Amino acid sequence: MKLKSQLLQPCFLLALRFLALVLWSVPGARALDNGLAMTPTMGWLHWERFMCNVDCQEEPDSCISEKLFMQMAELMDSDGWKDAGYKYLCIDDCWMAPKRDSKGRLQADPKRFPNGIQSLANYVHSKGLKLGIYADVGNKTCAGFPGSFGHYDIDAKTFADWGVDLLKFDGCYCDSVEHLENGYKRMSLALNRTGRSIVYSCEWPLYMWPFHEPNYTEIRQYCNHWRNFQDVYDSWQSIKSILAWTSSNQKRIVHVAGPGGWNDPDMLVIGNFGLSWDQQVTQMALWAIMAAPLLMSNDLRHISPQAKALLQNKDVIAINQDPLGKQGYRLRKEDNIEVWERPLTDLAWAVAMVNLQEIGGPRFHTISLASLGQGMACVPDCTITQLLPVKSQLGFYEWTSDLKIKINPTGTVLLRLAAN
Ligand SMILES: *[C@@H]1O[C@H](CO)[C@@H](O)[C@H](O)[C@H]1NC(C)=O
Ligand SMILES: *[C@@H]1O[C@H](CO)[C@@H](O)[C@H](O)[C@H]1NC(C)=O
Ligand SMILES: *[C@@H]1O[C@H](CO)[C@@H](O)[C@H](O)[C@H]1NC(C)=O
């Protein structure tokens, strides 16, 4: 009791908060110096939903073609996506013709992209959006189209000439760890030499892990974001495995993230088929906690109002895009409930509680506020807002208070704690 009253001395608390400010402000490792991705990239990427559908005869509305991207661009502009922050419209694998042109340049499939990528880029830019493209560090892309090995400079220049704004660089068909590392670095330098600002999205650590632990300090110097783990699927199993990988590797990866460079847990699959409503809430909340790039892979022509509202939720996007740029982490797991937290600007904190129990109904969980934010999330008191699954003001709490929360199975409650 005596200790507690001493701890609550205002000077001591203010000193603690100052210390917190200093600690959270220490910059991470040096980032790729291209001025981009100061907050996690937001946009749309075709892979999870549309994959490598090249059959425009049978499926004209869902094959990988300029028509698909023009329709998405139009909707990103007209349906509030761009205003919510989703600016990068990104092409994944399977856009290419099977062979390079006579000058050795990559070219788009002439049937599916009859006007070429440059004209698509112009269209996308006319909507106030940015265009992303895809290539591969090895001899072939994952789907077997021409790889960039031996062509890094010409490919970087081709993309810059077309007006491309982001490159997702995959790691298939690469025969050695040296080729992998050198390839990712050389493409980064080649992009820089074009003089065009191009976000560089890597899969370097994902392909590195089978050989040895990636050097994240080094990867951050070359890439704006990097994939660590398997491709996301439209399933709860997939979301769970990504969260489990992230929490079990958090000591390695969390401190590396910051303005200019982010860990990429892969696309948002909200608005598709495989996740229940609560599971979609969990993905949105945890991608915000993880400071993840928010790249949706869904069909903006056919999306429920509920999924759209979740993806466009301003409060949750504000947590994802928090300018402090500190990635959150799992604080603890007990009784199948995980508590994650993320420090925000102005000494605020985001806290997510996930109920991983897949039997039964909603469960109550009680947390002591003094256990959050290294004891400083609610010092000497704070205002708590629940952001997900629905917004509600929970009100004023003291440092010594407990908070009792009800969480649906496979769902998440996302809170924002603001210091008073
Ligand atoms: C290239 O790198 C230099 C130094 O690292 C940086 O100052 C410059 O802005 C970069 N240019 C582009 C286009 O990324
Ligand atoms: C690409 O193929 C060539 C010829 O087989 C080989 O020498 C080279 O190492 C390969 N590169 C990669 C990155 O796999
Ligand atoms: C990782 O890369 C950094 C930057 O290149 C380097 O200073 C450091 O020594 C590397 N760490 C290891 C363990 O190789």
Side-chain angles (χ1 to χ4, degrees), residues 139-328:
N139 277 321
K140 287 182 199 172
T141 72
C142 297
F145 291 88
S148 293
F149 182 72
H151 302 86
Y152 299 130
D153 281 294
I154 188 171
D155 290 354
K157 184 171 182 308
T158 303
F159 298 146
D161 288 348
W162 286 343
V164 161
D165 306 293
L166 177 149
L167 173 64
K168 173 175 174 177
F169 209 39
D170 215 333
C172 283
Y173 294 100
C174 192
D175 58 4
S176 73
V177 70
E178 288 75 27
H179 281 155
L180 187 77
E181 287 187 307
N182 290 334
Y184 272 104
K185 290 182 195 173
R186 289 187 52 184
M187 186 48 112
S188 183
L189 299 173
L191 289 172
N192 179 280
R193 280 192 297 272
T194 68
R196 185 173 175 86
S197 293
I198 299 177
V199 173
Y200 186 40
S201 167
C202 298
E203 305 209 25
W204 176 357
L206 169 64
Y207 288 92
M208 195 75 191
W209 270 110
F211 299 100
H212 57 79
E213 182 174 341
N215 183 338
Y216 282 98
T217 308
E218 186 175 36
I219 289 168
R220 181 174 164 80
Q221 292 169 3
Y222 291 93
C223 302
N224 291 120
H225 25 97
W226 48 86
R227 285 276 308 284
N228 295 314
F229 187 64
Q230 294 160 14
D231 286 5
V232 71
Y233 277 49
D234 188 13
S235 75
W236 176 236
Q237 177 56 38
S238 170
I239 302 302
K240 266 193 308 188
S241 68
I242 291 170
L243 293 176
W245 188 90
T246 304
S247 53
S248 51
N249 288 280
Q250 59 187 13
K251 288 211 165 61
R252 295 186 171 101
I253 64 167
V254 166
H255 69 277
V256 202
W262 311 96
N263 289 295
D264 179 4
D266 210 6
M267 293 159 269
L268 293 168
V269 295
I270 296 165
N272 292 320
F273 307 95
L275 300 185
S276 72
W277 169 247
D278 286 291
Q279 293 159 2
Q280 295 179 64
V281 166
T282 294
Q283 192 184 28
M284 194 68 191
L286 273 292
W287 264 235
I289 292 280
M290 293 189 292
L294 299 180
L295 294 167
M296 306 179 282
S297 195
N298 50 19
D299 190 343
L300 302 178
R301 299 164 301 187
H302 307 283
I303 188 164
S304 73
Q306 205 183 21
K308 182 177 169 190
L310 177 61
L311 287 162
Q312 294 190 1
N313 187 308
K314 284 193 169 53
D315 298 310
V316 182
I317 290 172
I319 288 177
N320 175 270
Q321 298 283 302
D322 186 83
L324 186 61
K326 290 280 175 194
Q327 179 173 342

Side-chain angles (χ1 to χ4, degrees), residues 67-88:
K67 188 178 126 199
L68 179 71
F69 290 96
M70 288 169 77
Q71 289 181 346
M72 293 305 159
E74 227 172 287
L75 289 169
M76 282 171 80
D77 180 33
S78 65
D79 280 4
W81 300 103
K82 182 176 82 178
D83 293 339
Y86 296 95
K87 295 228 159 59
Y88 285 82

Side-chain angles (χ1 to χ4, degrees), residues 82-104:
K82 182 176 82 178
D83 293 339
Y86 296 95
K87 295 228 159 59
Y88 285 82
L89 174 62
C90 303
I91 308 173
D92 208 288
D93 204 346
C94 304
W95 63 271
M96 294 174 198
K99 292 226 153 34
R100 290 174 178 270
D101 72 7
S102 57
K103 294 181 174 144

Side-chain angles (χ1 to χ4, degrees), residues 390-403:
V390 286
K391 187 166 183 175
S392 79
Q393 300 296 340
L394 303 188
F396 178 88
Y397 285 81
E398 295 194 324
W399 185 60
T400 49
S401 317
D402 284 341
L403 181 64

